[in-house]
Amino acid sequence: MKKLLSLLVLFFTFIQVQAQNDEPILLMWYGQINSADAAEHVQLEKDYYLKYHQQRVANGDILGWDMWQIINPDVNEMTTTYLYVSLVKDFASIGKNTPINSLKGVPQKEWEAAQDKAISHYIKNYQLVTSIKGSYGTQEATGPADYAVINYMEVDPYQTEAYEKLELETFLPMFKDDKVRAGWGLHKVLNQFGTDKPVNYITADFYSSLQTIYKSRNGAIALNEEDLKFWKSIDEIRTLKNSHIVRRVLSVR
């Protein structure tokens, strides 16, 4: 029993030390609305929420904000899903929010009505909190590229160190060199755990056009024995559970 307790103390001490090394955090909020409301909703985002997030950046609450539309949704009843991504600098910044009760240049009643209307559109929502383990080409002054593929991974929880090393030391340099992607990122999911929520990592591939995504998927794959063995070994560590193609609608930096 003493040996087990010692091991547990060492394990949680290690986790605590790791957690002290703050990494940038992404707050990913998914909002589903009826497609009939999409045009009005996007206009509200442009007219009001863009200013709201510009004030959040100016206040130091966030480093940036992006709005994306999922353009390959699951079968649904005429709905549209938007993904809102807020970037904060570290764990301590999660939940930091200077109250913004008014927008510069916008009458108070108009701003309140805009908020009520936008909120009334949502029929479903959920959130992911992720840390950024590594990336490139994602946080330029104008925001990331216009399109991205978000891959939701189930990674063997006992091989997370090996998986992160594989992504950061093998794939990140490879993607930088191939010139196909405009950016890439590896994210660890922090707020969902358990067998009913198996996704614990996300990778995001950024592209300059939708055509580039389709062209990259159109080719056939021919692998030699060595390459086949390599890719099958990766399948033992991770499983692709879902994938979204998203289009950037708005950005604030």
Side-chain angles (χ1 to χ4, degrees):
M1 177 62 74
K2 289 183 178 179
K3 184 177 181 181
L4 175 60
L5 289 174
S6 297
L7 287 172
L8 287 173
V9 170
L10 286 172
F11 174 74
F12 286 111
T13 300
F14 171 76
I15 294 297
Q16 185 177 19
V17 170
Q18 290 292 93
Q20 291 172 356
N21 299 322
D22 284 355
E23 298 164 338
I25 303 296
L26 280 185
L27 309 177
M28 304 171 66
W29 194 86
Y30 297 74
Q32 185 183 62
I33 69 172
N34 289 315
S35 294
D37 295 327
E40 180 182 47
H41 192 80
V42 171
Q43 197 60 51
L44 288 168
E45 296 284 354
K46 290 179 178 178
D47 292 343
Y48 300 99
Y49 282 91
L50 199 63
K51 297 176 183 178
Y52 169 75
H53 293 295
Q54 286 170 342
Q55 289 185 209
R56 294 181 69 205
V57 171
N59 289 341
D61 295 334
I62 59 174
L63 300 175
W65 172 86
D66 301 309
M67 175 185 178
W68 303 82
Q69 179 186 344
I70 296 176
I71 60 176
N72 69 325
D74 297 332
V75 176
N76 57 51
E77 297 178 356
M78 301 301 292
T79 64
T80 299
T81 300
Y82 295 105
L83 167 59
Y84 303 90
V85 179
S86 295
L87 174 68
V88 300
K89 66 179 181 178
D90 53 29
F91 289 107
S93 300
I94 298 176
K96 179 183 178 183
N97 191 22
T98 304
I100 299 176
N101 299 318
S102 61
L103 291 183
K104 295 178 181 177
V106 178
Q108 183 64 22
K109 287 187 177 180
E110 182 180 334
W111 169 226
E112 291 175 357
Q115 293 178 75
D116 291 340
K117 175 59 69 173
I119 291 172
S120 73
H121 288 162
Y122 294 114
I123 54 180
K124 288 183 181 180
N125 70 83
Y126 69 99
Q127 184 184 58
L128 291 176
V129 178
T130 74
S131 61
I132 302 177
K133 292 293 183 172
S135 66
Y136 76 92
T138 61
Q139 295 301 328
E140 280 69 20
T142 56
D146 288 338
Y147 292 87
V149 175
I150 302 177
N151 302 300
Y152 303 85
M153 303 291 188
E154 179 183 0
V155 176
D156 182 344
Y158 301 108
Q159 299 193 66
T160 54
E161 183 178 5
Y163 171 70
E164 290 185 15
K165 184 176 181 180
L166 175 71
E167 292 282 11
L168 299 175
E169 296 183 10
T170 300
F171 291 123
L172 189 154
M174 184 190 305
F175 295 154
K176 274 187 175 180
D177 291 339
D178 68 16
K179 307 301 181 185
V180 175
R181 293 165 180 79
W184 177 88
L186 171 66
H187 313 282
K188 186 170 187 178
V189 178
L190 305 179
N191 66 331
Q192 292 195 14
F193 288 89
T195 54
D196 61 331
K197 297 183 182 297
V199 172
N200 51 358
Y201 282 89
I202 291 173
T203 62
D205 303 276
F206 294 86
Y207 298 89
S208 58
S209 70
L210 184 60
Q211 289 76 16
T212 305
I213 297 173
Y214 289 150
K215 285 180 179 179
S216 67
R217 294 182 172 187
N218 190 45
I221 299 175
L223 299 175
N224 59 39
E225 187 175 343
E226 183 179 352
D227 289 339
L228 185 61
K229 183 178 179 181
F230 170 74
W231 286 106
K232 283 188 175 294
S233 69
I234 294 174
D235 289 341
E236 294 177 0
I237 298 177
R238 72 176 187 188
T239 302
L240 177 62
K241 304 299 291 186
N242 197 6
S243 183
H244 285 142
I245 300 175
V246 296
R247 176 182 64 85
R248 184 164 64 100
V249 181
L250 295 170
S251 287
V252 173
R253 292 293 182 275

